[in-house]
Amino acid sequence: MISHRQANAQRIAALDERAEALHLKRGMGIADARAMHPSIDVVEADPEADRRLLESLADWCDRYTPLVAIDAADGLFLDVTGCTHLFGGERAMLDDILSRFFHQGFDVRAGLAATPGAAWAAARFSGDRIVPGGEEEALLAPLPLTALRIEPDIRASLESVGLRTAGAVMAAPRAPLARRFGRSLLLRLDQAVGRLDEAVSPRLPVAPLSVERYLAEPIMLTDEIERLVKMLATTLKADLERRGEGARRLALLLFRVDGAVSRIAVGTSRPLREPLLIQKLFHERLAALEQDIDAGYGFDLVRLSVLSAAAFDMQQADLTGETRDDGADIALFADRIRARLGDSAVLKPVAVESHLPERAVATHSYAEAPQRVSAPKKPDKTPGKMKDTRPVLRPERPIRLFRSPEPIEVPATEMPEGPPLNFRWRRALYRVARAEGPERIAAEWWREAAGQEATRDYFRIEDSDGRRYWLYRQGLYGASQAAPRWFMHGVFA
């Protein structure tokens, strides 16, 4: 028996068949139950553990349909429309579900109907029943009001006026019911009998493409899983080619015979459909998760799903029949590293529209970084038009840029706006041999705090030992009462 605290009292939350045989009921106080039967075992409820268990069961039910939703704290909705024929029909599918749950140690009730409301009522009040289409009202008529899934206060109000069954409510005039008990009562009634549609919202997004393989003999070895991945990816390739797409994110689902499910996902930086490359990505991911995947008694169902896809651009082949894609090898290398070490293992710098060096570049995951989709602009060859051959000179930037500028001490300068003669950085004194600058950089005028950020004058400095630095003076002499400050922002070598 399981207890929980309600209104400052411990009450029964759930009980097994032996406890029910002792005439104990849900909601009864634990003190009263112990007074009747002192030897009963009481366990404190753990809602978080119950939620994790229910989610694991929902994962396992994905083997029957991808449309699985959680119903309150003790139930699951499975939308099996179009799936029953894969298991030999409705009865065969229902028997298979019940048999597998029984061998996993669960005592479950199931119902199958054309509407979620009728299936919910059949599972909880009629045992393992299949309700033919059009017989929802006959199913609900003798059942108590709880079968309509209405609020407790509405149920109590209906019982107070003598309406104690769903059939009595269905036989009553609708207009007075709506005025007295609200529209939610009629909504639940119409949903249960099929007058209004009720959608089942799956807990996980449904993959646009999936292929799976049921196995007569469960597999346990990683090599066997990888071979199956290549076989399933070969089947997926034909579907992707027909849609003109490539996979950007794939998921491998391993269903264990005892009910546990392992989900393994990989991402790609480019649309992918080649089976061998997909196998390589999952090889890296399986190698990284080898210690975390418990095969138990083996996996009897393996599914490969495309979670997201993108348009696949065909590459033009040369005279030898080979395609040239200079970035394909780098993309595959980055994807394999990310599959083994995580998305943050490979980052790509992306230019940002900002004058300040620390804001001019942002790092993104390699797969999420924006890719150039248009070819570089060709030079204008219009006859008679002068061609500008002057080189574009960009300011030199250091090899290493600090994450945040570090303050330095500058005792003196050649002139108020000139470079320093020497400076102290990290408790060491450096003497300046050569200097270039200044390169003046001001904050972006469109930022709100632009007026509060002082102008920077950057200098390229070489010390007496040949080391080169990039430092700047923040602020101008005479512009304010506060003296300008100096910072080290990077090193060239």
Side-chain angles (χ1 to χ4, degrees):
M1 189 169 60
I2 299 176
S3 68
H4 70 123
R5 180 167 293 277
Q6 179 181 356
N8 296 326
Q10 288 292 118
R11 299 188 178 277
I12 298 177
L15 60 167
D16 58 11
E17 293 180 354
R18 294 180 59 187
E20 289 179 345
L22 298 175
H23 303 288
L24 301 178
K25 298 181 180 180
R26 289 186 180 184
M28 180 182 292
I30 296 297
D32 297 336
R34 286 192 182 279
M36 296 171 57
H37 305 281
S39 61
I40 59 175
D41 293 330
V42 181
V43 179
E44 183 70 22
D46 188 349
E48 183 62 25
D50 293 340
R51 183 191 61 80
R52 292 196 300 269
L53 174 61
L54 192 61
E55 289 181 349
S56 66
L57 296 179
D59 287 339
W60 179 82
C61 287
D62 278 351
R63 67 190 301 130
Y64 297 103
T65 172
L67 300 174
V68 180
I70 293 179
D71 174 40
D74 60 351
L76 296 173
F77 273 126
L78 278 68
D79 188 347
V80 296
T81 304
C83 302
T84 56
H85 70 282
L86 301 175
F87 301 89
E90 295 178 349
R91 173 49 61 182
M93 181 181 191
L94 195 63
D95 291 342
D96 184 70
I97 293 175
L98 295 174
S99 175
R100 288 178 179 270
F101 270 119
F102 174 78
H103 287 95
Q104 294 177 28
F106 295 99
D107 183 15
V108 300
R109 301 289 184 270
L112 198 154
T115 66
W120 190 93
R124 285 168 170 77
F125 296 96
S126 299
D128 308 326
R129 179 174 174 180
I130 298 177
V131 183
E135 297 186 10
E136 292 82 9
E137 293 189 15
L139 165 74
L140 294 170
L143 299 182
L145 298 178
T146 308
L148 296 177
R149 300 178 295 162
I150 56 180
E151 299 296 332
D153 55 343
I154 299 178
R155 184 173 67 248
S157 300
L158 289 169
E159 292 174 348
S160 66
V161 298
L163 301 176
R164 300 183 180 277
T165 64
V169 175
M170 289 187 290
R174 293 174 61 89
L177 288 176
R179 286 196 302 268
R180 183 166 182 177
F181 303 104
R183 297 180 59 86
S184 61
L185 171 63
L186 299 182
L187 174 64
R188 282 302 192 186
L189 184 61
D190 291 341
Q191 288 177 340
V193 299
R195 297 193 190 101
L196 292 177
D197 292 334
E198 180 181 357
V200 175
S201 300
R203 54 186 293 267
L204 297 175
V206 179
L209 288 176
S210 292
V211 290
E212 60 187 29
R213 177 68 60 89
Y214 284 89
L215 306 173
E217 293 293 334
I219 61 174
M220 303 175 62
L221 302 179
T222 303
D223 293 341
E224 296 175 332
I225 297 174
E226 292 181 11
R227 283 196 295 270
L228 271 177
V229 168
K230 187 176 180 180
M231 294 172 57
L232 296 175
T234 302
T235 306
L236 271 181
K237 181 180 179 181
D239 295 330
L240 290 170
E241 289 177 345
R242 185 174 63 254
R243 296 162 62 107
E245 296 177 338
R248 286 298 308 272
R249 188 164 182 82
L250 300 110
L252 178 66
L253 278 70
L254 306 174
F255 294 83
R256 217 165 64 182
V257 294
D258 60 354
V261 181
S262 297
R263 294 178 181 271
I264 305 170
V266 297
T268 65
S269 54
R270 295 185 174 190
L272 192 66
R273 60 167 68 150
E274 182 60 39
L276 180 59
L277 301 183
I278 294 176
Q279 181 191 27
K280 289 182 179 180
L281 293 183
F282 278 104
H283 169 78
E284 302 293 346
R285 193 62 185 150
L286 289 169
L289 300 175
E290 185 175 5
Q291 303 299 326
D292 299 329
I293 298 178
D294 183 9
Y297 293 103
F299 304 106
D300 63 343
L301 172 60
V302 179
R303 178 184 298 161
L304 183 62
S305 301
V306 177
L307 301 182
S308 63
F312 190 88
D313 295 330
M314 300 297 294
Q315 300 292 330
Q316 179 66 43
D318 56 17
L319 295 179
T320 63
E322 297 181 354
T323 58
R324 295 180 57 86
D325 189 352
D326 297 334
D329 293 339
I330 297 177
L332 178 60
F333 170 77
D335 291 341
R336 296 184 66 177
I337 294 297
R338 291 169 52 243
R340 182 179 286 263
L341 302 179
D343 289 340
S344 61
V346 182
L347 302 178
K348 183 177 181 179
V350 178
V352 179
E353 294 183 354
S354 177
H355 302 309
L356 299 181
E358 63 268 24
R359 298 175 185 165
V361 176
T363 55
H364 297 268
S365 173
Y366 190 88
E368 302 299 331
Q371 304 287 339
R372 187 170 65 182
V373 295
S374 59
K377 186 177 181 181
K378 297 181 179 180
D380 190 358
K381 298 182 178 180
T382 305
K385 187 173 182 179
M386 297 295 295
K387 184 178 180 181
D388 190 357
T389 59
R390 293 176 297 177
V392 178
L393 300 179
R394 291 181 173 85
E396 186 178 0
R397 290 292 181 260
I399 297 175
R400 179 187 175 194
L401 191 69
F402 298 153
R403 184 178 298 273
S404 59
E406 299 182 8
I408 60 176
E409 299 178 11
V410 177
T413 58
E414 296 179 356
M415 62 183 68
E417 303 297 332
L421 298 175
N422 54 70
F423 60 91
R424 188 177 298 276
W425 175 47
R426 295 180 179 177
R427 299 184 179 180
L429 182 64
Y430 299 86
R431 299 192 180 278
V432 177
R434 297 178 181 84
E436 293 180 354
E439 176 190 349
R440 180 158 294 181
I441 299 178
E444 296 89 349
W445 58 266
W446 57 86
R447 290 181 174 269
E448 294 182 359
Q452 303 175 6
E453 298 183 11
T455 300
R456 301 179 183 181
D457 280 348
Y458 279 86
F459 295 89
R460 291 183 291 276
I461 299 295
E462 182 178 326
D463 66 5
S464 55
D465 295 327
R467 293 184 290 264
R468 302 179 65 203
Y469 309 93
W470 202 43
L471 49 85
Y472 70 88
R473 180 185 62 246
Q474 187 174 26
L476 303 175
Y477 287 100
S480 62
Q481 296 181 354
R485 302 175 59 194
W486 289 83
F487 294 88
M488 177 72 67
H489 207 159
V491 293
F492 287 92

